[in-house]
Amino acid sequence: MTIKDTPEEWEIRATGTPFVGKKTSVRTDDVVMPDGTVVRRDYQVHPGSVAILALDDAGRVLVLRQYRHPVRHKLWEIPAGLLDVPGENPLHAAQRELYEEAHVKAEDWRVLTDVYTTPGGCDEAVRIFLARGLSEVEGERFEAEHEELDLELARVPVEELVRGALAGELHNNCLVVGVLSLVAARAGDGLDALRPAEAPWPARPFEA
């Protein structure tokens, strides 16, 4: 058996969109099950996201602390953002987010991993990049608003983030997946063996 996710789409008898928000919506599908029964499934429709594990020459990861209202927590996270434009190149979006949130640019970009964050209730797909060769960006900083007005930035050793994730002290999906993927990649074929930054992404197709 090959352990690999495969695309598949079951028959939908009816569909509707009972809620449309600013960035996401809720869809209701009546889906035919393998035994022929029809079951209603509600899920969030999401444009997709990018996240950036920015690793500096001292082995530290650039993280930020931000208030997340749905979970009533301030979470330590890695820079991330929505794919606001349909078909947008995810690398370009990641470079933009790293600049806007951390005022940093990177010389070397790789795909660290691709994930569905909560596939049981949302179709969000996230591409997590590894960014190396970091340097500060000259010029004015991006003007923050809303939750980002309270943003805190830090550079934290990889080992400390791994410890925090395994101890249940760090909970952000992209941070935990990204840091543990980084450690696994180092222990495997090495970071230079990761996929190129513009590797195909079937979950969110784009033009180079």
Side-chain angles (χ1 to χ4, degrees):
M1 178 185 295
T2 300
I3 305 301
K4 180 179 179 180
D5 296 337
T6 55
E8 183 168 318
E9 188 164 349
W10 293 0
E11 180 186 354
I12 298 173
R13 293 280 174 86
T15 188
T17 307
F19 172 80
V20 177
K22 183 178 180 181
K23 296 292 185 180
T24 66
S25 59
V26 173
R27 183 174 297 159
T28 297
D29 291 339
D30 291 343
V31 186
V32 180
M33 298 290 111
D35 63 358
T37 60
V38 178
V39 177
R40 179 156 293 179
R41 292 287 179 257
D42 302 316
Y43 59 99
Q44 183 183 18
V45 178
H46 194 286
S49 307
V50 291
I52 307 96
L53 193 142
L55 183 68
D56 69 15
D57 293 338
R60 301 172 303 175
V61 176
L62 194 157
V63 293
L64 50 90
R65 190 171 183 239
Q66 184 171 344
Y67 176 66
R68 293 301 188 182
H69 186 69
V71 294
R72 309 301 199 271
H73 269 71
K74 273 192 172 182
L75 299 179
W76 285 103
E77 307 179 351
I78 56 177
L82 297 175
L83 291 168
D84 294 312
V85 181
E88 182 178 16
N89 186 310
L91 174 60
H92 300 166
Q95 291 169 332
R96 180 187 70 238
E97 292 297 335
L98 186 60
Y99 162 70
E100 290 182 356
E101 294 194 347
H103 211 61
V104 166
K105 63 181 179 180
E107 295 299 321
D108 185 90
W109 290 83
R110 310 278 173 142
V111 175
L112 189 53
T113 191
D114 299 323
V115 295
Y116 290 116
T117 55
T118 49
C122 179
D123 71 352
E124 181 183 14
V126 180
R127 169 156 282 189
I128 304 176
F129 289 92
L130 172 66
R132 294 179 292 174
L134 308 183
S135 61
E136 298 291 327
V137 178
E138 297 180 359
E140 295 184 4
R141 289 186 174 273
F142 182 77
E143 186 175 351
E145 60 179 3
H146 307 308
E147 288 90 346
E148 293 178 352
L149 291 169
D150 195 37
L151 213 62
E152 301 173 54
L153 291 172
R155 296 194 183 202
V156 180
V158 172
E159 296 76 15
E160 176 62 16
L161 296 175
V162 170
R163 186 207 63 77
L166 298 180
E169 298 170 358
L170 299 172
H171 305 89
N172 176 262
N173 182 295
C174 291
L175 184 149
V176 172
V177 171
V179 167
L180 297 183
S181 295
L182 174 72
V183 172
R186 279 176 167 174
D189 295 331
L191 300 184
D192 290 335
L194 291 168
R195 286 173 290 160
E198 299 203 62
W201 189 18
R204 293 294 184 273
F206 64 93
E207 294 184 8

